[in-house]
Amino acid sequence: MAFTHFDENGKAVMVDVTEKEDTEREATAAGKIWVNRAVYDAITSGNVEKGDVLGIATTAGIMAAKRTFELIPLCHILPLTGCKIEFSMNAKDRSISCRCTVKVTGKTGVEMEALTGVSTALLTIYDMCKALDKSMEIGEIYLCRKTGGKSGEIKNQCAKRR
């Protein structure tokens, strides 16, 4: 399979999707942040000085997904029809997992929007809590699944290990 973001001379181009049919498309991405005990306890008790960490991270993730085309140079502007950010807390390893699911009816997929949404949500947690812990780690960011378009449903087989 050839890369689609390069022309015959190797120059970067935005993929022309003019002739593609509109289809319902959805993508889910996931990621995780590990924090120290003080941050974990502050988030779960709602005592972070800057405010509602997960509420603000949710808003940031949605905003980022909507503006992915401004951050990733060759992404198309997409009129998202849905974006959902979900968090789950794990006290055992003091981690916060994030999932971002994005939907659109269009000519191209929303994988980049889901990945941007989850990344920004996790970065927002870091930003809001860095006064308590500058050693937080963000990782395991990956596309879980996507649907729609000519490739249909794709599930990340590596995700089974997580």
Side-chain angles (χ1 to χ4, degrees):
M1 174 179 256
F3 287 113
T4 57
H5 285 83
F6 297 100
D7 68 12
E8 60 279 352
N9 299 315
K11 302 245 190 257
V13 296
M14 184 179 208
V15 175
D16 185 349
V17 296
T18 306
E19 302 302 319
K20 292 176 91 177
E21 294 293 322
D22 281 351
T23 62
E24 289 183 25
R25 298 162 183 266
E26 182 177 310
T28 300
K32 190 181 280 193
I33 185 168
W34 291 267
V35 301
N36 67 18
R37 173 60 55 201
V39 170
Y40 190 87
D41 291 345
I43 291 172
T44 57
S45 65
N47 291 327
V48 175
E49 225 176 89
K50 290 186 176 182
D52 175 10
V53 173
L54 300 184
I56 293 169
T58 297
T59 300
I62 292 168
M63 289 175 65
K66 290 168 53 173
R67 300 179 74 114
T68 299
F69 72 95
E70 293 179 4
L71 301 170
I72 310 297
L74 301 178
C75 282
H76 292 84
I77 298 171
L78 297 177
L80 304 186
T81 58
C83 183
K84 182 177 185 181
I85 304 280
E86 300 171 290
F87 295 101
S88 60
M89 309 286 288
N90 183 331
K92 184 177 177 182
D93 70 353
R94 295 182 319 276
S95 68
I96 304 163
S97 296
C98 178
R99 291 176 73 83
C100 176
T101 300
V102 182
K103 296 179 182 182
V104 71
T105 298
K107 298 174 183 286
T108 188
V110 287
E111 299 96 297
M112 295 307 300
E113 288 73 11
L115 288 161
T116 300
V118 79
S119 298
T120 302
L122 293 170
L123 287 167
T124 300
I125 294 170
Y126 186 99
D127 179 56
M128 293 188 70
C129 299
K130 66 184 180 244
L132 295 171
D133 182 8
K134 290 184 178 45
S135 65
M136 292 176 277
E137 293 182 35
I138 296 172
E140 295 187 12
I141 296 172
Y142 61 99
L143 180 69
C144 304
R145 62 180 279 277
K146 69 173 245 35
T147 62
K150 68 179 178 182
S151 57
E153 183 170 10
I154 304 292
K155 289 184 180 179
N156 185 340
Q157 297 304 312
C158 296
K160 290 180 182 175
R161 294 181 283 198
R162 293 179 178 86

